[in-house]
Amino acid sequence: MRIAVCGGPYGNPYALRAFVADARDRGCERLYCLGDLGGFGAEVDALWPILTGSGDAALDGTPVECVAGNYDVAIARGDTDCGCGYRDPKDNEYAQLVYDHTLATTSRDFAAWMGKLPTERRETIEGVDVHMVHGSTLALNDFWWESLPEEAHRLRAETSGADVVLCTHSGLPWQRRIGDTLAVNVGVLGKPANDGRQEVWYAVLDLDDGAARAELIPLAYDWRAQARSMRAAGLPGIFAETIETGWWTTCLEILPPAERSRGRFHLYRSTLPTGFRPADDGWGPVAGKDAAAQAEDRPVVPLFGTAYFPSRLWLYTNFHCNLACDYCAVASSPTAAPRTLPVDTFHRLLDEAVTAGFTDLYLTGGEPFLHPAIIELLDHASAQLPTVVLTNAMLLRGRRAAGLEELAGRKLTLQTSLDGATAATHDRHRGAGSWARTMDGIRHLISLGLPPRVALTETADNGPEIPAVGELLAGLGLPKDNFAVRPMLRRGFSEEGMEIGEDSSVPELTVSADGLHWHPAGADLGSSPDMRLAGPGTPLERGKELVTERFFAARLTDGSLPRPVHCAI
């Protein structure tokens, strides 16, 4: 036998009617709904004749057999809230708006009908033990997320013991085998699955001779009519926007990190904890800082493009270097494995970066000017995005200098390091003769029309010289804003300095020949395996999802995140 199972019509008669028609066209003999008839949409009473099979001759009188969800129980009793199980105040605020509308506009006859529905249903169909619930086998409003740990899935399956368990409350469709049980979240009809599609989802199950197979079905329906009806009823426009775009704009905080990372929006603008806001640390504005989101009136924002996940991309051109600085966070040196980024890979990454919405590019190493094609890379990059290249400024002669001179006037900035006002201080960490060569490089860049930015890595012995370094650079004609101080980090070669990890730093997506990393200070796979996100070839869009997922995992553990750790001005 073939059956169709939907969840959460949420006051959306257009999708419910399409479900009945589509399921019948697919040969489904019985139709089921797992509850939450109201909530989100405006036309709850219009569902009743469709569910009973009495309201549309074109549907051949096909009834939909229902179990009650938490919404239906609450409406039947006249409760003051939906009992949805949200924990965040903003989630509950939006849920209350819709619940109040639903309670006020649902007829008491339909509410009484809801009150007679069972809260679960268990049948043996063609030799298959099928258990239908709303939330899970543990609770009516339990969120059975796909990303739950294996033991949590196993608990819910074993509590039932059925061959098939069907649920809906979380609103996101998935299926998986849990031991001998097939678990299926059938999705909901009332709103899209936070996937950028206007379609909604339901499940078709084939049950035969004790065996079960499920297919999740995307369902097209008249979403424009649903959005119009919501706006006409005076529901907030962001609710209709979800119907129109396929992206959730409310009830975000309930989403676990994995599910949240796949959506377009991730945070309520108005409810960010104070400790979660990166402080102004004197390093200048963050690239891409929330510009698009601030221009809109929407109460939710994406993580990417804000101060919490800047839209700058870091690329490690290579890891070998002509210096062996004793505090190098990525363990670069003349003997380090080069791990050079191929030119074709670089070009692909640039194309991806533009498409993925990155607004700035930072190239680093190792020493980027040891890459044999560095001028070609800079030419290609600066033609597409504002580009910063971090260099020790010692190799800028000959063909490299000629190539740089041709790029003057492009969206290209060079940044170098000067760790003391005297050679003795600087060379202590970077090697004999390096201060003089760096100073020559700075002067040479100025002469080429490429005045560099200069960063000083603060150590135990160079702090008193910081004002003198600023004066030295000002004497060369560099603006004050072209000089900044950054902390020494305890990574790579350094056994001292600030601790940095994915739970203590704002992410900046970084690519090396070894894959994707959380932050440029953790891009050396050998000394920072904990900060790698994924292996080589992983698309940048997937990298953005991984960053977002790890970001919220850290936030949910601790509740806050500290200030950014900037590697560049």
mmCIF file of all heavy atoms in Angstrom, residues 227-273:
data_model
loop_
_atom_site.group_PDB
_atom_site.id
_atom_site.type_symbol
_atom_site.label_atom_id
_atom_site.label_comp_id
_atom_site.label_asym_id
_atom_site.label_seq_id
_atom_site.Cartn_x
_atom_site.Cartn_y
_atom_site.Cartn_z
ATOM 1 N N ALA A 227 0.729 33.932 0.534
ATOM 2 C CA ALA A 227 1.374 35.156 1.015
ATOM 3 C C ALA A 227 0.388 36.321 1.010
ATOM 4 O O ALA A 227 0.356 37.127 1.951
ATOM 5 C CB ALA A 227 2.591 35.479 0.152
ATOM 6 N N ARG A 228 -0.437 36.410 -0.028
ATOM 7 C CA ARG A 228 -1.429 37.495 -0.084
ATOM 8 C C ARG A 228 -2.413 37.398 1.079
ATOM 9 O O ARG A 228 -2.770 38.408 1.696
ATOM 10 C CB ARG A 228 -2.190 37.451 -1.417
ATOM 11 C CG ARG A 228 -1.430 37.995 -2.613
ATOM 12 C CD ARG A 228 -2.370 38.259 -3.777
ATOM 13 N NE ARG A 228 -3.061 37.064 -4.223
ATOM 14 C CZ ARG A 228 -2.602 36.228 -5.160
ATOM 15 N NH1 ARG A 228 -1.425 36.472 -5.758
ATOM 16 N NH2 ARG A 228 -3.296 35.172 -5.519
ATOM 17 N N SER A 229 -2.846 36.178 1.364
ATOM 18 C CA SER A 229 -3.827 36.014 2.436
ATOM 19 C C SER A 229 -3.231 36.379 3.789
ATOM 20 O O SER A 229 -3.926 36.940 4.649
ATOM 21 C CB SER A 229 -4.358 34.580 2.460
ATOM 22 O OG SER A 229 -3.431 33.690 3.065
ATOM 23 N N MET A 230 -1.950 36.102 3.994
ATOM 24 C CA MET A 230 -1.283 36.443 5.250
ATOM 25 C C MET A 230 -1.139 37.953 5.399
ATOM 26 O O MET A 230 -1.389 38.519 6.466
ATOM 27 C CB MET A 230 0.079 35.750 5.318
ATOM 28 C CG MET A 230 -0.034 34.230 5.411
ATOM 29 S SD MET A 230 1.532 33.376 5.116
ATOM 30 C CE MET A 230 2.469 33.856 6.576
ATOM 31 N N ARG A 231 -0.762 38.611 4.315
ATOM 32 C CA ARG A 231 -0.639 40.071 4.373
ATOM 33 C C ARG A 231 -2.017 40.720 4.571
ATOM 34 O O ARG A 231 -2.148 41.690 5.331
ATOM 35 C CB ARG A 231 0.020 40.583 3.099
ATOM 36 C CG ARG A 231 1.475 40.151 2.938
ATOM 37 C CD ARG A 231 2.099 40.767 1.693
ATOM 38 N NE ARG A 231 3.409 40.201 1.396
ATOM 39 C CZ ARG A 231 4.549 40.585 1.972
ATOM 40 N NH1 ARG A 231 4.521 41.544 2.886
ATOM 41 N NH2 ARG A 231 5.693 40.022 1.646
ATOM 42 N N ALA A 232 -3.025 40.192 3.901
ATOM 43 C CA ALA A 232 -4.370 40.755 4.026
ATOM 44 C C ALA A 232 -4.900 40.609 5.447
ATOM 45 O O ALA A 232 -5.682 41.447 5.919
ATOM 46 C CB ALA A 232 -5.317 40.079 3.037
ATOM 47 N N ALA A 233 -4.470 39.551 6.132
ATOM 48 C CA ALA A 233 -4.920 39.319 7.504
ATOM 49 C C ALA A 233 -4.160 40.163 8.518
ATOM 50 O O ALA A 233 -4.485 40.139 9.713
ATOM 51 C CB ALA A 233 -4.771 37.839 7.849
ATOM 52 N N GLY A 234 -3.158 40.896 8.056
ATOM 53 C CA GLY A 234 -2.401 41.747 8.954
ATOM 54 C C GLY A 234 -1.285 41.059 9.698
ATOM 55 O O GLY A 234 -0.739 41.625 10.657
ATOM 56 N N LEU A 235 -0.914 39.855 9.260
ATOM 57 C CA LEU A 235 0.226 39.182 9.882
ATOM 58 C C LEU A 235 1.516 39.907 9.494
ATOM 59 O O LEU A 235 1.591 40.515 8.421
ATOM 60 C CB LEU A 235 0.282 37.717 9.449
ATOM 61 C CG LEU A 235 -0.839 36.824 9.986
ATOM 62 C CD1 LEU A 235 -0.758 35.436 9.358
ATOM 63 C CD2 LEU A 235 -0.785 36.731 11.506
ATOM 64 N N PRO A 236 2.547 39.859 10.328
ATOM 65 C CA PRO A 236 3.800 40.567 10.003
ATOM 66 C C PRO A 236 4.340 40.172 8.638
ATOM 67 O O PRO A 236 4.299 38.991 8.240
ATOM 68 C CB PRO A 236 4.741 40.119 11.131
ATOM 69 C CG PRO A 236 3.833 39.803 12.282
ATOM 70 C CD PRO A 236 2.600 39.199 11.656
ATOM 71 N N GLY A 237 4.875 41.148 7.929
ATOM 72 C CA GLY A 237 5.372 40.900 6.583
ATOM 73 C C GLY A 237 6.482 39.883 6.513
ATOM 74 O O GLY A 237 6.639 39.187 5.499
ATOM 75 N N ILE A 238 7.275 39.758 7.590
ATOM 76 C CA ILE A 238 8.362 38.778 7.543
ATOM 77 C C ILE A 238 7.835 37.352 7.485
ATOM 78 O O ILE A 238 8.527 36.458 6.998
ATOM 79 C CB ILE A 238 9.323 38.942 8.739
ATOM 80 C CG1 ILE A 238 8.569 38.882 10.063
ATOM 81 C CG2 ILE A 238 10.123 40.219 8.611
ATOM 82 C CD1 ILE A 238 9.494 38.778 11.254
ATOM 83 N N PHE A 239 6.601 37.117 7.964
ATOM 84 C CA PHE A 239 6.020 35.783 7.841
ATOM 85 C C PHE A 239 5.736 35.475 6.366
ATOM 86 O O PHE A 239 6.074 34.395 5.864
ATOM 87 C CB PHE A 239 4.728 35.684 8.654
ATOM 88 C CG PHE A 239 4.935 35.598 10.135
ATOM 89 C CD1 PHE A 239 5.918 36.344 10.770
ATOM 90 C CD2 PHE A 239 4.136 34.788 10.914
ATOM 91 C CE1 PHE A 239 6.109 36.277 12.136
ATOM 92 C CE2 PHE A 239 4.318 34.699 12.284
ATOM 93 C CZ PHE A 239 5.307 35.456 12.907
ATOM 94 N N ALA A 240 5.115 36.427 5.697
ATOM 95 C CA ALA A 240 4.839 36.233 4.272
ATOM 96 C C ALA A 240 6.137 36.126 3.476
ATOM 97 O O ALA A 240 6.203 35.402 2.475
ATOM 98 C CB ALA A 240 3.987 37.386 3.751
ATOM 99 N N GLU A 241 7.171 36.837 3.916
ATOM 100 C CA GLU A 241 8.448 36.775 3.214
ATOM 101 C C GLU A 241 9.005 35.355 3.200
ATOM 102 O O GLU A 241 9.597 34.905 2.215
ATOM 103 C CB GLU A 241 9.458 37.725 3.855
ATOM 104 C CG GLU A 241 10.802 37.739 3.137
ATOM 105 C CD GLU A 241 11.813 38.658 3.801
ATOM 106 O OE1 GLU A 241 11.425 39.482 4.637
ATOM 107 O OE2 GLU A 241 13.009 38.540 3.456
ATOM 108 N N THR A 242 8.830 34.621 4.291
ATOM 109 C CA THR A 242 9.277 33.223 4.326
ATOM 110 C C THR A 242 8.566 32.411 3.254
ATOM 111 O O THR A 242 9.177 31.598 2.557
ATOM 112 C CB THR A 242 9.034 32.618 5.715
ATOM 113 O OG1 THR A 242 9.924 33.236 6.647
ATOM 114 C CG2 THR A 242 9.268 31.111 5.711
ATOM 115 N N ILE A 243 7.268 32.616 3.116
ATOM 116 C CA ILE A 243 6.509 31.920 2.075
ATOM 117 C C ILE A 243 7.037 32.277 0.690
ATOM 118 O O ILE A 243 7.166 31.422 -0.198
ATOM 119 C CB ILE A 243 5.008 32.278 2.183
ATOM 120 C CG1 ILE A 243 4.427 31.837 3.531
ATOM 121 C CG2 ILE A 243 4.220 31.683 1.019
ATOM 122 C CD1 ILE A 243 4.405 30.340 3.751
ATOM 123 N N GLU A 244 7.377 33.530 0.490
ATOM 124 C CA GLU A 244 7.785 34.029 -0.831
ATOM 125 C C GLU A 244 9.220 33.660 -1.200
ATOM 126 O O GLU A 244 9.536 33.521 -2.381
ATOM 127 C CB GLU A 244 7.630 35.549 -0.858
ATOM 128 C CG GLU A 244 6.180 36.004 -0.777
ATOM 129 C CD GLU A 244 6.045 37.471 -0.381
ATOM 130 O OE1 GLU A 244 7.015 38.038 0.172
ATOM 131 O OE2 GLU A 244 4.946 38.040 -0.603
ATOM 132 N N THR A 245 10.090 33.540 -0.218
ATOM 133 C CA THR A 245 11.510 33.317 -0.508
ATOM 134 C C THR A 245 12.015 31.927 -0.153
ATOM 135 O O THR A 245 13.058 31.508 -0.649
ATOM 136 C CB THR A 245 12.376 34.337 0.266
ATOM 137 O OG1 THR A 245 12.270 34.073 1.677
ATOM 138 C CG2 THR A 245 11.946 35.761 -0.035
ATOM 139 N N GLY A 246 11.328 31.238 0.730
ATOM 140 C CA GLY A 246 11.806 29.929 1.162
ATOM 141 C C GLY A 246 12.783 29.974 2.317
ATOM 142 O O GLY A 246 13.302 28.932 2.733
ATOM 143 N N TRP A 247 13.045 31.171 2.869
ATOM 144 C CA TRP A 247 13.996 31.306 3.988
ATOM 145 C C TRP A 247 13.256 31.708 5.255
ATOM 146 O O TRP A 247 12.447 32.636 5.240
ATOM 147 C CB TRP A 247 15.064 32.353 3.674
ATOM 148 C CG TRP A 247 15.920 32.038 2.491
ATOM 149 C CD1 TRP A 247 15.990 32.724 1.312
ATOM 150 C CD2 TRP A 247 16.855 30.954 2.369
ATOM 151 N NE1 TRP A 247 16.901 32.139 0.471
ATOM 152 C CE2 TRP A 247 17.447 31.053 1.081
ATOM 153 C CE3 TRP A 247 17.257 29.918 3.214
ATOM 154 C CZ2 TRP A 247 18.411 30.152 0.631
ATOM 155 C CZ3 TRP A 247 18.207 29.013 2.765
ATOM 156 C CH2 TRP A 247 18.777 29.137 1.484
ATOM 157 N N TRP A 248 13.559 31.059 6.365
ATOM 158 C CA TRP A 248 12.935 31.393 7.637
ATOM 159 C C TRP A 248 13.420 32.758 8.114
ATOM 160 O O TRP A 248 14.624 33.040 8.105
ATOM 161 C CB TRP A 248 13.269 30.347 8.691
ATOM 162 C CG TRP A 248 12.581 29.022 8.466
ATOM 163 C CD1 TRP A 248 11.886 28.639 7.365
ATOM 164 C CD2 TRP A 248 12.539 27.928 9.382
ATOM 165 N NE1 TRP A 248 11.413 27.352 7.522
ATOM 166 C CE2 TRP A 248 11.808 26.897 8.759
ATOM 167 C CE3 TRP A 248 13.055 27.715 10.656
ATOM 168 C CZ2 TRP A 248 11.589 25.667 9.378
ATOM 169 C CZ3 TRP A 248 12.842 26.494 11.276
ATOM 170 C CH2 TRP A 248 12.100 25.478 10.644
ATOM 171 N N THR A 249 12.482 33.566 8.561
ATOM 172 C CA THR A 249 12.805 34.886 9.105
ATOM 173 C C THR A 249 12.381 35.005 10.568
ATOM 174 O O THR A 249 12.523 36.073 11.165
ATOM 175 C CB THR A 249 12.102 35.977 8.288
ATOM 176 O OG1 THR A 249 10.704 35.673 8.222
ATOM 177 C CG2 THR A 249 12.668 36.058 6.880
ATOM 178 N N THR A 250 11.836 33.937 11.138
ATOM 179 C CA THR A 250 11.436 33.906 12.541
ATOM 180 C C THR A 250 11.791 32.543 13.114
ATOM 181 O O THR A 250 12.092 31.598 12.378
ATOM 182 C CB THR A 250 9.923 34.134 12.698
ATOM 183 O OG1 THR A 250 9.219 33.124 11.963
ATOM 184 C CG2 THR A 250 9.509 35.502 12.195
ATOM 185 N N CYS A 251 11.732 32.447 14.444
ATOM 186 C CA CYS A 251 11.963 31.175 15.139
ATOM 187 C C CYS A 251 13.285 30.539 14.740
ATOM 188 O O CYS A 251 13.350 29.356 14.380
ATOM 189 C CB CYS A 251 10.798 30.220 14.918
ATOM 190 S SG CYS A 251 9.230 30.904 15.533
ATOM 191 N N LEU A 252 14.353 31.359 14.806
ATOM 192 C CA LEU A 252 15.687 30.897 14.423
ATOM 193 C C LEU A 252 16.442 30.260 15.581
ATOM 194 O O LEU A 252 17.247 29.356 15.379
ATOM 195 C CB LEU A 252 16.512 32.079 13.899
ATOM 196 C CG LEU A 252 16.032 32.781 12.645
ATOM 197 C CD1 LEU A 252 16.935 33.975 12.345
ATOM 198 C CD2 LEU A 252 16.028 31.824 11.469
ATOM 199 N N GLU A 253 16.217 30.772 16.796
ATOM 200 C CA GLU A 253 17.058 30.346 17.912
ATOM 201 C C GLU A 253 16.845 28.888 18.287
ATOM 202 O O GLU A 253 17.696 28.277 18.916
ATOM 203 C CB GLU A 253 16.822 31.249 19.127
ATOM 204 C CG GLU A 253 17.406 32.639 18.979
ATOM 205 C CD GLU A 253 18.917 32.671 19.022
ATOM 206 O OE1 GLU A 253 19.530 31.650 19.378
ATOM 207 O OE2 GLU A 253 19.496 33.715 18.687
ATOM 208 N N ILE A 254 15.715 28.317 17.908
ATOM 209 C CA ILE A 254 15.472 26.904 18.217
ATOM 210 C C ILE A 254 16.310 25.985 17.333
ATOM 211 O O ILE A 254 16.542 24.831 17.655
ATOM 212 C CB ILE A 254 13.966 26.579 18.057
ATOM 213 C CG1 ILE A 254 13.643 25.240 18.731
ATOM 214 C CG2 ILE A 254 13.560 26.573 16.590
ATOM 215 C CD1 ILE A 254 13.876 25.227 20.227
ATOM 216 N N LEU A 255 16.795 26.519 16.201
ATOM 217 C CA LEU A 255 17.537 25.680 15.259
ATOM 218 C C LEU A 255 18.901 25.307 15.825
ATOM 219 O O LEU A 255 19.665 26.175 16.253
ATOM 220 C CB LEU A 255 17.734 26.418 13.936
ATOM 221 C CG LEU A 255 16.502 26.608 13.064
ATOM 222 C CD1 LEU A 255 16.797 27.598 11.948
ATOM 223 C CD2 LEU A 255 16.046 25.282 12.487
ATOM 224 N N PRO A 256 19.265 24.025 15.805
ATOM 225 C CA PRO A 256 20.617 23.622 16.193
ATOM 226 C C PRO A 256 21.641 24.147 15.185
ATOM 227 O O PRO A 256 21.282 24.553 14.067
ATOM 228 C CB PRO A 256 20.554 22.089 16.158
ATOM 229 C CG PRO A 256 19.103 21.746 16.173
ATOM 230 C CD PRO A 256 18.414 22.881 15.484
ATOM 231 N N PRO A 257 22.925 24.143 15.545
ATOM 232 C CA PRO A 257 23.944 24.719 14.654
ATOM 233 C C PRO A 257 23.925 24.167 13.228
ATOM 234 O O PRO A 257 24.026 24.935 12.275
ATOM 235 C CB PRO A 257 25.247 24.382 15.376
ATOM 236 C CG PRO A 257 24.870 24.380 16.822
ATOM 237 C CD PRO A 257 23.498 23.781 16.868
ATOM 238 N N ALA A 258 23.804 22.867 13.058
ATOM 239 C CA ALA A 258 23.860 22.297 11.706
ATOM 240 C C ALA A 258 22.695 22.783 10.860
ATOM 241 O O ALA A 258 22.869 23.178 9.703
ATOM 242 C CB ALA A 258 23.871 20.771 11.776
ATOM 243 N N GLU A 259 21.488 22.752 11.421
ATOM 244 C CA GLU A 259 20.318 23.195 10.664
ATOM 245 C C GLU A 259 20.359 24.700 10.434
ATOM 246 O O GLU A 259 19.976 25.182 9.369
ATOM 247 C CB GLU A 259 19.038 22.807 11.413
ATOM 248 C CG GLU A 259 18.629 21.350 11.279
ATOM 249 C CD GLU A 259 19.399 20.387 12.173
ATOM 250 O OE1 GLU A 259 20.243 20.870 12.973
ATOM 251 O OE2 GLU A 259 19.170 19.172 12.088
ATOM 252 N N ARG A 260 20.824 25.438 11.422
ATOM 253 C CA ARG A 260 20.853 26.890 11.267
ATOM 254 C C ARG A 260 21.835 27.313 10.180
ATOM 255 O O ARG A 260 21.614 28.274 9.452
ATOM 256 C CB ARG A 260 21.223 27.570 12.581
ATOM 257 C CG ARG A 260 20.856 29.044 12.570
ATOM 258 C CD ARG A 260 21.245 29.790 13.830
ATOM 259 N NE ARG A 260 20.790 29.163 15.033
ATOM 260 C CZ ARG A 260 20.694 29.799 16.195
ATOM 261 N NH1 ARG A 260 21.021 31.081 16.263
ATOM 262 N NH2 ARG A 260 20.293 29.182 17.266
ATOM 263 N N SER A 261 22.942 26.599 10.071
ATOM 264 C CA SER A 261 23.966 26.985 9.101
ATOM 265 C C SER A 261 23.485 26.903 7.665
ATOM 266 O O SER A 261 24.035 27.559 6.781
ATOM 267 C CB SER A 261 25.204 26.091 9.275
ATOM 268 O OG SER A 261 24.961 24.772 8.815
ATOM 269 N N ARG A 262 22.453 26.108 7.408
ATOM 270 C CA ARG A 262 21.973 25.920 6.039
ATOM 271 C C ARG A 262 20.962 26.978 5.617
ATOM 272 O O ARG A 262 20.562 27.029 4.452
ATOM 273 C CB ARG A 262 21.379 24.516 5.886
ATOM 274 C CG ARG A 262 22.416 23.416 6.038
ATOM 275 C CD ARG A 262 21.877 22.074 5.581
ATOM 276 N NE ARG A 262 20.927 21.494 6.501
ATOM 277 C CZ ARG A 262 21.228 20.645 7.479
ATOM 278 N NH1 ARG A 262 22.493 20.302 7.686
ATOM 279 N NH2 ARG A 262 20.294 20.140 8.275
ATOM 280 N N GLY A 263 20.516 27.801 6.547
ATOM 281 C CA GLY A 263 19.561 28.851 6.213
ATOM 282 C C GLY A 263 20.255 30.104 5.720
ATOM 283 O O GLY A 263 21.479 30.234 5.750
ATOM 284 N N ARG A 264 19.452 31.061 5.316
ATOM 285 C CA ARG A 264 20.007 32.337 4.857
ATOM 286 C C ARG A 264 20.239 33.285 6.030
ATOM 287 O O ARG A 264 21.170 34.082 6.024
ATOM 288 C CB ARG A 264 19.043 32.982 3.854
ATOM 289 C CG ARG A 264 19.542 34.330 3.333
ATOM 290 C CD ARG A 264 18.572 34.917 2.329
ATOM 291 N NE ARG A 264 19.025 36.238 1.861
ATOM 292 C CZ ARG A 264 18.331 37.010 1.039
ATOM 293 N NH1 ARG A 264 17.159 36.600 0.577
ATOM 294 N NH2 ARG A 264 18.803 38.189 0.671
ATOM 295 N N PHE A 265 19.356 33.227 7.039
ATOM 296 C CA PHE A 265 19.444 34.117 8.190
ATOM 297 C C PHE A 265 19.772 33.304 9.435
ATOM 298 O O PHE A 265 19.312 32.165 9.588
ATOM 299 C CB PHE A 265 18.132 34.881 8.378
ATOM 300 C CG PHE A 265 17.719 35.660 7.157
ATOM 301 C CD1 PHE A 265 16.626 35.277 6.406
ATOM 302 C CD2 PHE A 265 18.453 36.771 6.750
ATOM 303 C CE1 PHE A 265 16.247 35.980 5.275
ATOM 304 C CE2 PHE A 265 18.090 37.482 5.614
ATOM 305 C CZ PHE A 265 16.982 37.082 4.873
ATOM 306 N N HIS A 266 20.525 33.924 10.353
ATOM 307 C CA HIS A 266 21.039 33.153 11.495
ATOM 308 C C HIS A 266 20.844 33.808 12.843
ATOM 309 O O HIS A 266 20.899 33.121 13.866
ATOM 310 C CB HIS A 266 22.542 32.909 11.292
ATOM 311 C CG HIS A 266 22.887 32.323 9.973
ATOM 312 N ND1 HIS A 266 23.649 32.985 9.031
ATOM 313 C CD2 HIS A 266 22.540 31.143 9.404
ATOM 314 C CE1 HIS A 266 23.772 32.241 7.946
ATOM 315 N NE2 HIS A 266 23.105 31.125 8.141
ATOM 316 N N LEU A 267 20.634 35.127 12.877
ATOM 317 C CA LEU A 267 20.599 35.858 14.132
ATOM 318 C C LEU A 267 19.470 36.878 14.145
ATOM 319 O O LEU A 267 19.185 37.496 13.127
ATOM 320 C CB LEU A 267 21.908 36.643 14.331
ATOM 321 C CG LEU A 267 23.201 35.871 14.515
ATOM 322 C CD1 LEU A 267 24.385 36.786 14.251
ATOM 323 C CD2 LEU A 267 23.270 35.300 15.917
ATOM 324 N N TYR A 268 18.847 37.063 15.318
ATOM 325 C CA TYR A 268 17.977 38.219 15.498
ATOM 326 C C TYR A 268 18.861 39.440 15.733
ATOM 327 O O TYR A 268 19.709 39.449 16.624
ATOM 328 C CB TYR A 268 17.064 38.018 16.699
ATOM 329 C CG TYR A 268 15.976 37.001 16.483
ATOM 330 C CD1 TYR A 268 15.854 35.891 17.313
ATOM 331 C CD2 TYR A 268 15.039 37.155 15.455
ATOM 332 C CE1 TYR A 268 14.848 34.956 17.132
ATOM 333 C CE2 TYR A 268 14.034 36.226 15.267
ATOM 334 C CZ TYR A 268 13.942 35.123 16.108
ATOM 335 O OH TYR A 268 12.951 34.205 15.908
ATOM 336 N N ARG A 269 18.612 40.461 14.963
ATOM 337 C CA ARG A 269 19.396 41.685 15.092
ATOM 338 C C ARG A 269 19.262 42.289 16.496
ATOM 339 O O ARG A 269 20.223 42.818 17.066
ATOM 340 C CB ARG A 269 18.915 42.702 14.051
ATOM 341 C CG ARG A 269 19.785 43.928 13.924
ATOM 342 C CD ARG A 269 19.033 45.038 13.171
ATOM 343 N NE ARG A 269 18.508 44.613 11.897
ATOM 344 C CZ ARG A 269 19.201 44.557 10.770
ATOM 345 N NH1 ARG A 269 20.477 44.890 10.771
ATOM 346 N NH2 ARG A 269 18.639 44.164 9.648
ATOM 347 N N SER A 270 18.088 42.188 17.074
ATOM 348 C CA SER A 270 17.800 42.906 18.319
ATOM 349 C C SER A 270 18.142 42.126 19.585
ATOM 350 O O SER A 270 18.038 42.672 20.682
ATOM 351 C CB SER A 270 16.318 43.278 18.363
ATOM 352 O OG SER A 270 15.523 42.103 18.347
ATOM 353 N N THR A 271 18.528 40.885 19.456
ATOM 354 C CA THR A 271 18.704 40.070 20.656
ATOM 355 C C THR A 271 20.116 39.526 20.822
ATOM 356 O O THR A 271 20.323 38.561 21.546
ATOM 357 C CB THR A 271 17.716 38.884 20.656
ATOM 358 O OG1 THR A 271 17.903 38.103 19.470
ATOM 359 C CG2 THR A 271 16.285 39.376 20.719
ATOM 360 N N LEU A 272 21.084 40.139 20.157
ATOM 361 C CA LEU A 272 22.457 39.694 20.342
ATOM 362 C C LEU A 272 22.930 40.046 21.743
ATOM 363 O O LEU A 272 22.853 41.201 22.157
ATOM 364 C CB LEU A 272 23.376 40.366 19.316
ATOM 365 C CG LEU A 272 23.138 39.963 17.862
ATOM 366 C CD1 LEU A 272 23.917 40.887 16.944
ATOM 367 C CD2 LEU A 272 23.553 38.531 17.652
ATOM 368 N N PRO A 273 23.429 39.073 22.506
ATOM 369 C CA PRO A 273 23.937 39.374 23.844
ATOM 370 C C PRO A 273 25.085 40.371 23.786
ATOM 371 O O PRO A 273 25.878 40.375 22.852
ATOM 372 C CB PRO A 273 24.432 38.004 24.350
ATOM 373 C CG PRO A 273 23.721 36.998 23.507
ATOM 374 C CD PRO A 273 23.514 37.648 22.178
#
